[in-house]
């Protein structure tokens, strides 16, 4: 395996938490869109209630279709991030399978965001980043 691929795998693994946050935000946006679609499709009276009342059926359909289009794009984006998470978690699992107990502890701390200097002092690796890249390469050979 070349360094570029190993670095890409490392990037994906380190971003699992960020990808999960993005998915949560997408789910919130989807919920908002669904609520808005429901609100627009409710029967309304032009003289009552709050907000702008849309009485013209073509306007309702246009707005709802636009919201559905946004919803479909968000669902596609969410699926892409879920696929990225699944791949990254599979890579992480493969890396953990090739580690001995010391390396396993090191990898856990590395991906939990420990400082490189403290990892270097604790585990004796001169360059923790390079060590993880080497472990990723080792996992791909297995």
């Amino acid at each position: 395996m070349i360094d570029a691929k190993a670095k890409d795998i490392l990037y994906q693994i380190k971003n699992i938490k960020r990808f999960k946050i993005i998915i949560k935000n997408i789910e919130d946006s989807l919920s908002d869109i669904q609520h808005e679609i429901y609100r627009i499709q409710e029967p309304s009276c032009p003289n009552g209630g709050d907000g702008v009342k849309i009485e013209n059926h073509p306007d309702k359909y246009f707005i709802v279709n636009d919201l559905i289009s946004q919803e479909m794009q968000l669902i596609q984006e969410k699926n892409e991030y879920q696929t990225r998470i699944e791949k990254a978690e599979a890579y992480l699992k493969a890396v953990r399978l090739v580690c001995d107990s010391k390396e396993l502890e090191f990898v856990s701390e590395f991906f939990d965001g420990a400082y490189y200097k403290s990892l270097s002092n604790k585990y004796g690796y001169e360059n923790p980043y390079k060590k993880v890249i080497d472990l990723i390469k080792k996992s791909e050979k297995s």
Side-chain angles (χ1 to χ4, degrees):
M1 174 191 300
I2 58 174
D3 280 352
K5 184 175 180 191
K7 289 177 182 177
D8 182 56
I9 291 170
L10 176 61
Y11 171 80
Q12 291 178 36
I13 293 171
K14 286 193 82 144
N15 281 297
I16 290 174
K17 290 178 186 174
R18 187 176 70 86
F19 293 156
K20 288 181 179 181
I21 291 169
I22 290 171
I23 287 176
K24 173 71 172 100
N25 291 337
I26 290 172
E27 288 172 348
D28 291 344
S29 296
L30 286 170
S31 177
D32 292 344
I33 288 173
Q34 290 169 353
H35 177 72
E36 185 66 14
I37 290 171
Y38 179 77
R39 188 191 65 74
I40 289 172
Q41 290 181 334
E42 286 182 323
S44 59
C45 175
N47 296 328
D50 297 341
V52 177
K53 299 299 180 186
I54 303 167
E55 292 304 319
N56 189 345
H57 289 293
D59 289 344
K60 279 187 177 184
Y61 293 135
F62 177 76
I63 293 169
V64 169
N65 284 339
D66 185 50
L67 289 170
I68 289 172
S69 175
Q70 290 175 26
E71 182 179 42
M72 289 171 54
Q73 288 175 333
L74 286 173
I75 289 170
Q76 183 179 6
E77 189 177 339
K78 177 183 169 188
N79 290 340
E80 290 170 7
Y81 278 107
Q82 285 176 328
T83 300
R84 286 173 137 184
I85 289 172
E86 289 168 6
K87 283 182 181 179
E89 287 176 341
Y91 288 135
L92 182 57
K93 183 178 179 182
V95 169
R96 287 184 171 151
L97 287 174
V98 298
C99 293
D100 61 27
S101 61
K102 178 185 172 186
E103 292 170 335
L104 189 59
E105 193 176 318
F106 164 74
V107 165
S108 293
E109 287 187 39
F110 181 89
F111 288 116
D112 284 340
Y115 291 107
Y116 286 10
K117 183 85 170 163
S118 67
L119 289 172
S120 182
N121 292 338
K122 184 174 181 179
Y123 295 100
Y125 301 127
E126 185 178 320
N127 185 343
Y129 179 82
K130 184 170 178 358
K131 177 63 179 175
V132 170
I133 293 293
D134 291 342
L135 289 171
I136 290 171
K137 288 179 181 179
K138 183 179 173 184
S139 73
E140 284 293 308
K141 290 178 185 176
S142 300

